[in-house]
Amino acid sequence: MTEQSAHQLRTAPAQRAEWLAARQAIAVADPSERDQILHRWATRTRRSVVSMIDAARQGHIGGDFSVTDILTTAYLVALDVDPAQPRAEHRDRFILSKGHCAAALYSTLAFAGFFDPGELSTFMKPLSPLNGHPNRNKVPGVETNTGPLGHGVPVAVGAAIGAKLKGESGRVIVVTGDGELQEGSNWEAFMTAAQYGLDNLTVVVDRNRLQQGARTEETNHLDPLDDKFAAFGWNVEQIDGHHYGQLADALTRPSGGGRPHAVIANTVKGKGVSFIEDRVEWHHKVPSAEQVKQALEELV
Amino acid sequence: MTTEAVAVSSEVYDNRVAFADELIELAEHDDRVVAVCNDSVGSSNLVGFRDRFPDRLINVGIAEQDMVGVGAGLANAGMIPFVCGAAPFLTGRSLEQIKADVAYSQLPVILCGMSPGVAYGELGPTHHSIEDLSWLRALPGLDIVIPADRAQTRQAVRQAVEHPRPTFIRVGRFKVPDLPQQVLERGRFQTMRDGVDVTIIAAGTAVSRALAAAERLEGDGFSARVLNAAYLNPLDEAAIAAAANETRAIVTAEEANVSGGLGAAVARIVLEQPAPARVPVEMLGFRDFAPTGSAGFLLELAELTEAGIARAALNALQR
């Protein structure tokens, strides 16, 4: 048996056009209009996540919802990427280190036109390219295969060093979970990033304060997380990870002083659906039919 | 295949020197070539590379998981990273990065396992890399190259630049002689010598010893074929099948644990043959953590010597 998929995913031109139009609208919008557009796109992603997880009867809904606004802002405001040329040489790189939140990433990529949103219904179905964790060779727009935790930051550091060696101005944005920071490989990479002065690298921590089994601070505490980044030689800021203005600013502002940039995005796991928000059991619980209905009613 | 033209050299060499010389030569002409290491500038013999290309030597410090991930990121950015570290730490400490970031992601990272096998001798099993072949052979899409001498080491490095793909190269520290010239071909064993009674399939440091064992067997009236298993992935299944069908017994010889390395690979193919070709297979290598001793002593203990390999061939022929 060889690893294979039913079909190849390809750029969706009409969807890409819609995405480009939204980006252009945001570029000239006032903050309130911008927030409305971003909210609309994020809500569509959250609704898509509900449908995907409902159909697959598995997934990671809590983390999908905490990272959705970060993903939406990154792709509509910050990243210089082209869904028609996902491997273009001079692109920005985006890496979702918390690969278990693939449903949110796939929805974001599909709504940007990297592939047809119609494919989202195959999520985790037999031979679907949309595995439970993202695969760069099957899903356009995915830079590296994640799933095991603590892998994204070292790869992002390598990509940022590579961009500097080639004299490119491209940036690398990597999103990690907060529980994921318990993996030591991240801290190896944080040191390397500072050593190499990677001011083209931004690490966004999806700080929802919950991990699979309990609260992060009750498991292996991370605070004071900002002090830790600062001690490692990073520029660090804390933002509200659901505030589009703060996200847009943090994800587009260049890091100064030859230092890499850490954005601690304080988020709510399960954001957007009342009965899922900030509850540990919704790490990978699957909603019932009634709960799906209620979730979709709230996500407007 | 004739081997009269060039004999096995009497001098022996450290393959790391050939590795570094070739890498510098390639880096002169191709600015995608970078080296990544874990404070192993000296032990990976990268001093010359660093002096020549200071910006292209990424030393992440003693951090192997980071090192392999950084290699994957560099490959993503379009570079050709040679990720160099002592083989036990490169493969053991960062096995999941090799699996997910390199093999599964299919990023062209060249993992260079320095001083593999029992090269570190008296430093003990923590520093031996006899498990690497078992671990890495289980990863689809990762080439495994075991150059047997200086020339093959240079060829392995050159091919990695010409056709970058996820690759592990075992770069030997234990000194070996130059072998009769062989072309390194992806996924192929080299026939070092033909024979009809028994086939010796040897890798790395065992190849020159296998040739000497074949000479000794000839004196005893047995004709031995010797194959150089310079590639373990992709595996030369045709050469193994031919050995099983054309000779009466097979010996494998590797500086590794036999549980999942060359011996296990050969045994699987032999068992897939029709009944008459399911010939006896004697596996030389390690079956336990090694005791204290020099690399040379440990190779003798594992019977990875001219006499030991010849003895295994006779045993196999009598089974």
Side-chain angles (χ1 to χ4, degrees):
Chain A
M1 194 193 76
T2 55
E3 203 206 12
Q4 58 182 355
S5 289
H7 53 280
Q8 289 279 314
L9 298 181
R10 292 184 212 294
T11 312
Q15 194 62 50
R16 173 174 171 269
E18 187 186 333
W19 174 76
L20 285 170
R23 281 175 67 108
Q24 280 157 9
I26 286 171
V28 297
D30 64 34
S32 149
E33 289 167 347
R34 176 201 60 202
D35 290 358
Q36 282 175 22
I37 296 170
L38 289 168
H39 176 75
R40 199 160 61 238
W41 282 67
T43 300
R44 178 161 56 160
T45 289
R46 287 195 174 90
R47 292 178 67 88
S48 167
V49 165
V50 171
S51 300
M52 290 165 73
I53 289 177
D54 181 30
R57 303 312 298 158
Q58 50 187 329
H60 293 84
I61 199 164
D64 282 326
F65 284 180
S66 68
V67 82
T68 294
D69 293 319
I70 299 167
L71 285 167
T72 304
T73 311
Y75 277 87
L76 280 172
V77 179
L79 291 168
D80 181 11
V81 291
D82 182 355
Q85 294 179 287
R87 297 269 170 96
E89 196 182 348
H90 299 288
R91 68 191 185 275
D92 287 347
R93 264 79 173 173
F94 178 86
I95 293 171
L96 183 68
S97 191
K98 44 179 287 181
H100 55 287
C101 296
L105 177 66
Y106 295 157
S107 300
T108 304
L109 292 172
F111 295 141
F114 282 92
F115 58 91
D116 180 354
E119 300 282 356
L120 295 170
S121 62
T122 71
F123 178 55
M124 291 174 93
K125 296 280 167 57
L127 301 183
S128 169
L130 303 179
N131 195 275
H133 296 92
N135 182 329
R136 70 187 296 269
N137 300 303
K138 295 182 178 178
V139 186
V142 173
E143 295 286 354
T144 186
N145 300 7
T146 52
L149 298 174
H151 283 244
V153 178
V155 176
V157 167
I161 294 173
K164 280 195 177 280
L165 283 172
K166 293 169 79 178
E168 292 179 359
S169 58
R171 302 169 60 220
V172 182
I173 298 179
V174 54
V175 175
T176 77
D178 52 358
E180 177 176 6
L181 294 183
Q182 291 157 0
E183 293 280 9
S185 50
N186 291 305
W187 300 91
E188 294 180 1
F190 292 157
M191 288 194 284
T192 306
Q195 182 77 25
Y196 281 84
L198 299 181
D199 50 12
N200 56 346
L201 173 69
T202 297
V203 167
V204 182
V205 180
D206 181 4
R207 185 80 170 107
N208 61 36
R209 296 188 169 265
L210 284 170
Q211 53 195 97
Q212 178 175 302
R215 298 206 166 269
T216 56
E217 302 312 283
E218 291 165 5
T219 307
N220 192 351
H221 72 269
L222 297 164
D223 278 338
L225 189 54
D226 47 0
D227 288 350
K228 285 176 178 163
F229 272 109
F232 273 62
W234 285 56
N235 292 329
V236 56
E237 63 183 312
Q238 299 242 24
I239 66 164
D240 175 347
H242 302 299
H243 188 289
Y244 297 118
Q246 292 181 23
L247 277 168
D249 177 55
L251 295 181
T252 53
R253 186 164 21 82
S255 194
R259 292 154 70 101
H261 185 197
V263 178
I264 300 172
N266 291 298
T267 56
V268 176
K269 200 162 176 175
K271 172 73 176 179
V273 175
S274 56
F275 60 91
I276 298 179
E277 284 188 358
D278 199 36
R279 298 183 69 93
V280 67
E281 66 269 24
W282 281 99
H283 177 75
H284 50 30
K285 194 175 161 184
V286 177
S288 66
E290 181 58 35
Q291 288 169 325
V292 166
K293 189 163 165 284
Q294 189 185 336
L296 292 176
E297 279 169 13
E298 292 189 25
L299 290 168
V300 288
Chain B
M1 175 63 55
T2 58
T3 57
E4 290 86 1
V6 189
V8 175
S9 72
S10 52
E11 292 292 310
V12 289
Y13 305 95
D14 181 337
N15 284 344
R16 292 176 303 166
V17 177
F19 166 83
D21 290 349
E22 185 71 22
L23 193 64
I24 290 170
E25 215 172 290
L26 291 164
E28 294 278 7
H29 304 288
D30 191 334
D31 56 15
R32 296 174 304 166
V33 173
V34 292
V36 188
C37 71
N38 56 340
D39 190 33
S40 60
V41 177
S43 59
S44 294
N45 204 43
L46 290 170
V47 174
F49 187 96
R50 180 193 60 193
D51 292 348
R52 196 93 165 215
F53 314 103
D55 294 342
R56 285 151 70 186
L57 187 279
I58 317 296
N59 184 354
V60 301
I62 308 164
E64 289 75 23
Q65 300 179 69
D66 184 32
M67 173 173 68
V68 173
V70 165
L74 284 161
N76 179 297
M79 313 300 281
I80 302 175
F82 283 74
V83 174
C84 306
F89 315 129
L90 170 65
T91 61
R93 193 59 166 264
S94 57
L95 185 56
E96 192 181 76
Q97 277 74 18
I98 296 175
K99 171 186 167 183
D101 307 353
V102 180
Y104 182 43
S105 288
Q106 280 296 292
L107 278 164
V109 177
I110 320 304
L111 303 156
C112 306
M114 300 290 167
S115 310
V118 294
Y120 280 120
E122 299 89 339
L123 297 186
T126 55
H127 284 56
H128 296 161
S129 189
I130 58 175
E131 305 84 2
D132 53 350
L133 300 183
S134 298
W135 292 338
L136 300 184
R137 205 168 66 80
L139 299 179
L142 180 72
D143 281 16
I144 299 176
V145 195
I146 312 171
D149 67 357
R150 297 191 296 175
Q152 283 205 321
T153 302
R154 279 180 170 269
Q155 289 183 67
V157 173
R158 182 168 290 275
Q159 288 178 13
V161 172
E162 287 171 356
H163 305 286
R165 54 165 62 90
T167 304
F168 174 70
I169 306 177
R170 245 188 172 206
V171 184
R173 172 203 195 95
F174 188 83
K175 290 182 177 175
V176 289
D178 286 339
L179 297 172
Q181 196 80 44
Q182 297 289 322
V183 175
L184 184 69
E185 203 178 335
R186 180 169 187 257
R188 297 293 298 274
F189 293 171
Q190 291 84 49
T191 305
M192 308 296 290
R193 173 189 169 113
D194 209 353
V196 296
D197 294 318
V198 59
T199 301
I200 305 167
I201 307 179
T205 50
V207 177
S208 63
R209 293 150 184 249
L211 283 170
E215 293 285 336
R216 181 185 286 223
L217 287 165
E218 193 165 287
D220 294 338
F222 294 100
S223 155
R225 177 182 301 182
V226 175
L227 303 179
N228 173 8
Y231 262 88
L232 195 49
N233 257 356
L235 185 64
D236 193 344
E237 300 190 7
I240 299 168
N245 282 278
E246 294 164 12
T247 65
R248 290 184 284 130
I250 295 176
V251 174
T252 62
E254 60 190 314
E255 198 178 326
N257 192 304
V258 295
S259 69
L262 174 65
V266 168
R268 177 172 70 79
I269 303 304
V270 171
L271 281 172
E272 287 173 0
Q273 302 306 306
R278 283 182 217 137
V279 297
V281 178
E282 288 273 324
M283 299 182 197
L284 292 176
F286 293 88
R287 286 172 168 73
D288 199 350
F289 293 121
T292 306
S294 69
F297 170 80
L298 295 174
L299 292 179
E300 278 181 33
L301 205 64
E303 299 269 290
L304 288 164
T305 57
E306 173 187 333
I309 294 169
R311 202 154 41 235
L314 294 173
N315 287 343
L317 283 166
Q318 282 162 16
R319 267 166 59 183

